[in-house]
Amino acid sequence: MKPFAKKFYKSSAWLKCRAAYIKMRHGLCERCSGPGKIVHHKQYLTPDNIDDPNITLNFNKLEYLCQDCHNKEHHEKHGVTVQGVIFDESGMPVQKA
């Protein structure tokens, strides 16, 4: 998790939004219909938009994904290499031990 986003991802507004979004999606990945794990922001969060609820808390800008589909989003579409990063049960990125 990027340092500028820590406060947001721990906020009650995000946790409530995330829970409601998962419930609305019936816990299923929006791409493959498998069990979902991560609420993905379609518009990547930056220091410039992290405080804009129209971006961060807008259901139209979220997508519920399983781990595999989330990895494909980041690795295949954007060429991002993330080594040693996994996601916890809340979908939050954490470093491997």
Side-chain angles (χ1 to χ4, degrees), residues 1-87:
M1 172 183 332
K2 296 183 180 175
F4 72 86
K6 284 183 182 182
K7 183 179 176 184
F8 168 75
Y9 282 117
K10 292 181 179 184
S11 72
S12 63
W14 169 246
L15 296 174
K16 289 175 184 177
C17 176
R18 183 183 182 282
Y21 191 79
I22 292 169
K23 185 175 181 178
M24 182 186 83
R25 302 309 311 170
H26 304 290
L28 299 175
C29 176
E30 293 181 58
R31 296 188 187 178
C32 73
S33 298
K37 184 170 183 179
I38 299 160
V39 177
H40 169 72
H41 285 91
K42 294 178 190 178
Q43 181 175 348
Y44 288 3
L45 301 185
T46 68
D48 294 329
N49 68 20
I50 194 75
D51 294 320
D52 184 348
N54 188 47
I55 293 171
T56 59
L57 304 174
N58 183 339
F59 276 20
N60 293 322
K61 297 185 180 186
L62 300 176
E63 186 175 24
Y64 195 48
L65 302 176
C66 67
Q67 185 72 59
D68 287 342
C69 289
H70 189 259
N71 288 345
K72 288 176 188 174
E73 171 68 27
H74 285 279
H75 296 286
E76 292 177 9
K77 288 189 177 181
H78 304 288
V80 175
T81 302
V82 180
Q83 294 181 351
V85 177
I86 58 173
F87 293 87

